[in-house]
Amino acid sequence: FSANEMVMATPAGVTFIDAGGARSLYGFQGLVNNHVYSLGVPREGDEVLAGTLGGISILHGDTVQRNLTATNSGLKHNWVTAIVAVQDGAATARGRGWMVGTYGAGVMRLDVDGNFSPMGGVTRKMVVNPNAMLSTNTHVFAGTMGQGLWVWSRATDRWTQVTDGLPSETVTAIAERDGEVYVGTDNGLVRIAEHLLD
């Protein structure tokens, strides 16, 4: 949800739904690729990041402002599968940025100026499953294909791999409620107290 509308990622572009109905945005209007896998929406403002098979499109309202790809931004793999907003001093000088999961290059940091930077331990040959990322007040979580759950601590600015106790090392979904993290895998679900992941 963004401002007064709902934004949906589809295999045929981005669809916006509001009180006036539905309208869609495609490659014809500047979207970097029609296959949209993930959306990043900040806690405030109307900016939306569309993660696609061909990179990221930065949208303001229903207008493409900029496209970020492996050829123009430092993104290491164009197939973007997950995006979460991160608000902390380490993200950018202005305290806001994104973490972006890819299909093949793990997780990268994206600042508000559109610059990607690698993150120690997780920007590597690794698949982040579609929308298997979550940002909380203390952590960012990334679910991978065959490499378990990766946990970034805001306090230490470090990533840790978690595989012990998981029903499978393929993590497909992550949710949080009341200090507990629910980790969905292709072999079942596990609940973990978030403070134990530091």
Side-chain angles (χ1 to χ4, degrees), residues 1-3 5-10 12-17 23-42 44-52 55-68 83 96 98 110 112 114:
F1 291 92
S2 174
E5 63 189 0
M6 181 170 66
V7 187
M8 295 173 40
T10 80
V14 176
T15 298
F16 303 86
I17 300 175
R23 63 198 184 286
S24 295
L25 183 68
Y26 308 98
F28 182 74
Q29 287 96 11
L31 199 65
V32 70
N33 190 286
N34 282 335
H35 294 274
V36 183
Y37 284 83
S38 59
L39 296 171
V41 181
E44 51 200 45
D46 65 350
E47 182 179 70
V48 174
L49 273 64
T52 79
I56 289 178
S57 288
I58 301 174
L59 314 175
H60 287 276
D62 56 2
T63 302
V64 176
Q65 297 293 309
R66 186 173 179 193
N67 289 319
L68 305 174
I83 304 171
R96 186 167 67 85
W98 307 86
L110 173 63
V112 293

Side-chain angles (χ1 to χ4, degrees), residues 10-168:
T10 80
V14 176
T15 298
F16 303 86
I17 300 175
D18 59 19
R23 63 198 184 286
S24 295
L25 183 68
Y26 308 98
F28 182 74
Q29 287 96 11
L31 199 65
V32 70
N33 190 286
N34 282 335
H35 294 274
V36 183
Y37 284 83
S38 59
L39 296 171
V41 181
R43 292 187 176 104
E44 51 200 45
D46 65 350
E47 182 179 70
V48 174
L49 273 64
T52 79
L53 189 61
I56 289 178
S57 288
I58 301 174
L59 314 175
H60 287 276
D62 56 2
T63 302
V64 176
Q65 297 293 309
R66 186 173 179 193
N67 289 319
L68 305 174
T69 69
T71 58
N72 71 4
S73 69
L75 179 63
K76 296 208 178 282
H77 200 292
N78 278 335
W79 190 346
V80 175
T81 55
I83 304 171
V84 293
V86 179
Q87 297 188 349
D88 63 67
T92 68
R94 295 189 299 194
R96 186 167 67 85
W98 307 86
M99 287 192 191
V100 174
T102 69
Y103 194 100
V107 179
M108 298 191 75
R109 191 187 298 270
L110 173 63
D111 68 25
V112 293
D113 297 318
N115 301 309
F116 282 93
S117 57
M119 300 192 76
V122 292
T123 303
R124 61 195 189 100
K125 189 174 181 180
M126 181 167 70
V127 172
V128 176
N129 280 316
N131 294 303
M133 286 186 75
L134 174 72
S135 178
T136 70
N137 290 333
T138 55
H139 298 95
V140 171
F141 301 93
T144 69
M145 184 183 296
Q147 296 187 44
L149 177 70
W150 287 80
V151 182
W152 179 71
S153 167
R154 294 178 189 271
T156 64
D157 192 25
R158 288 188 171 166
W159 286 90
T160 305
Q161 184 182 25
V162 175
T163 56
D164 290 346
L166 296 180
S168 165

